[in-house]
Amino acid sequence: MSKPIKETPILKGKDARVFMAKITSPTKRETISDRTRQRMRENFEKINAIAKS
């Protein structure tokens, strides 16, 4: 038998402000360097080429 699903909490006051600040703050994608992002793109393309073979 499954457990009952709890209701989704409603954030108010300080909790709501903290939550909104966290979801609107820069993501990891925005904080990595362009050099790292380029290297990741190249690695992705290499792996993709191997997978298609």
Side-chain angles (χ1 to χ4, degrees):
M1 183 183 265
S2 64
K3 295 181 182 179
I5 299 172
K6 295 180 183 178
E7 286 188 37
T8 302
I10 299 173
L11 300 176
K12 297 179 183 176
K14 182 181 176 187
D15 291 332
R17 287 189 295 276
V18 169
F19 176 78
M20 290 303 294
K22 285 183 180 180
I23 65 169
T24 58
S25 68
T27 63
K28 289 183 180 183
R29 176 187 164 102
E30 295 168 344
T31 58
I32 62 173
S33 69
D34 290 336
R35 182 172 160 252
T36 301
R37 187 174 291 124
Q38 179 62 30
R39 193 179 82 241
M40 291 169 67
R41 171 61 62 187
E42 291 167 1
N43 289 338
F44 170 77
E45 290 171 1
K46 289 176 187 175
I47 291 170
N48 236 6
I50 293 169
K52 291 179 181 180
S53 299

